[in-house]
């Protein structure tokens, strides 16, 4: 079965030498090998304002993000690759999602004072791929992966995107070539299987 995948490269630095970029390229290679349709979006190359008030939050998506929005709206599966900074997404990557996953796009306002918003992006799954300098087990169990859980529950799930799977690469700043090669092959496999 062919899937429509959108891969969002969330590293805010466009330098292709970063591990996040290599992981994203490996996933895209695997997906293409398996015949999936994949659209790649690099947040570092997009121009958009940071939201600063309620009016902007409810306004239209900026022109520079229209193609990214359309790719997400037509995707079956969303892959988001980013480095862990201060326990969560880098600021630029979070600002991207604040623009894309906002009112009238990702969900409808709740009807009544105690209702939940109605999701508009249901029927899509996602995978979060995160690199970090600390061991991934430390982040998962000591810090309880708080930044990823926040993003999954309060952004992706709110918009109807589920299930959300996670792939964590810990100790990324000191990884050896053998381990890096294994990580890249793991990403190719994830791209082939779309899970």
């Amino acid at each position: 079965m062919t899937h429509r995948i959108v891969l969002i490269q969330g590293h805010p630095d466009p330098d292709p030498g970063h591990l996040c970029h290599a992981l994203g390229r490996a996933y895209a290679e695997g997906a293409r090998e398996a015949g999936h349709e994949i659209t790649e979006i690099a947040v570092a190359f997009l121009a958009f304002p940071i939201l600063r008030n309620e009016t902007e939050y409810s306004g239209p998506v900026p022109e520079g993000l229209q193609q990214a929005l359309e790719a997400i709206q037509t995707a079956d599966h969303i892959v988001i690759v980013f480095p862990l900074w201060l326990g969560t997404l880098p600021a630029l990557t979070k600002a991207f999602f604040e623009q894309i996953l906002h009112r009238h796009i990702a969900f409808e306002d709740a009807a009544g004072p105690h209702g939940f918003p109605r999701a508009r992006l249901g029927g899509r799954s996602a995978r979060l791929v995160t690199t970090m300098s600390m061991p991934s087990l430390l982040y998962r169990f000591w810090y309880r992966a708080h930044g990823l859980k926040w993003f999954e529950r309060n952004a992706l799930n709110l918009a109807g995107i589920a299930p959300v799977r996670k792939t964590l690469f810990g100790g990324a700043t000191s990884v050896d070539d053998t381990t890096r090669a294994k990580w890249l092959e793991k990403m190719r496999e994830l791209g082939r299987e779309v899970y």
Side-chain angles (χ1 to χ4, degrees):
M1 180 178 178
T2 301
H3 295 277
R4 287 171 300 183
I5 305 166
V6 59
L7 189 149
I8 299 167
Q9 177 53 253
H11 200 300
D13 186 344
D15 181 350
H18 289 292
L19 177 59
C20 282
H21 292 285
L23 295 170
R25 286 191 300 270
Y27 186 98
E29 288 167 8
R32 287 190 181 99
E33 287 170 9
H36 301 300
E37 179 185 327
I38 186 160
T39 301
E40 297 181 68
I41 298 165
V43 172
F45 291 105
L46 300 175
F48 57 90
I50 293 174
L51 297 177
R52 296 179 185 273
N53 56 55
E54 183 75 13
T55 302
E56 292 175 357
Y57 179 66
S58 298
V61 171
E63 184 63 32
L65 296 182
Q66 284 297 324
Q67 287 184 330
L69 174 61
E70 290 167 13
I72 289 169
Q73 289 175 321
T74 58
D76 303 312
H77 185 63
I78 302 165
V79 179
I80 306 161
V81 183
F82 59 94
L84 195 74
W85 287 5
L86 294 178
T88 191
L89 301 145
L92 184 66
T93 312
K94 184 175 183 293
F96 168 82
F97 283 105
E98 287 176 353
Q99 287 283 10
I100 295 287
L101 300 178
H102 72 63
R103 289 184 184 156
H104 316 302
I105 299 295
F107 59 89
E108 298 174 13
D109 284 340
H114 302 295
F116 284 94
R118 185 183 317 179
R120 286 187 162 174
L121 295 177
R124 293 160 185 81
S125 58
R127 177 168 296 277
L128 305 180
V129 179
T130 311
T131 62
M132 61 193 70
S133 57
M134 74 175 82
S136 59
L137 288 176
L138 179 65
Y139 182 67
R140 280 188 189 271
F141 296 108
W142 178 259
Y143 292 103
R144 302 192 183 275
H146 62 89
L148 299 186
K149 288 179 181 176
W150 161 84
F151 185 49
E152 177 182 6
R153 183 182 61 242
N154 298 338
L156 299 177
N157 290 167
L158 183 67
I161 299 167
V164 177
R165 296 177 178 91
K166 300 167 200 72
T167 302
L168 280 60
F169 294 107
T173 53
S174 58
V175 67
D176 59 40
D177 291 342
T178 301
T179 302
R180 181 185 172 103
K182 288 179 182 176
W183 289 357
L184 295 177
E185 185 51 40
K186 178 177 182 176
M187 289 299 291
R188 285 188 195 93
E189 183 61 27
L190 289 173
R192 292 183 199 107
E193 299 298 324
V194 190
Y195 61 84

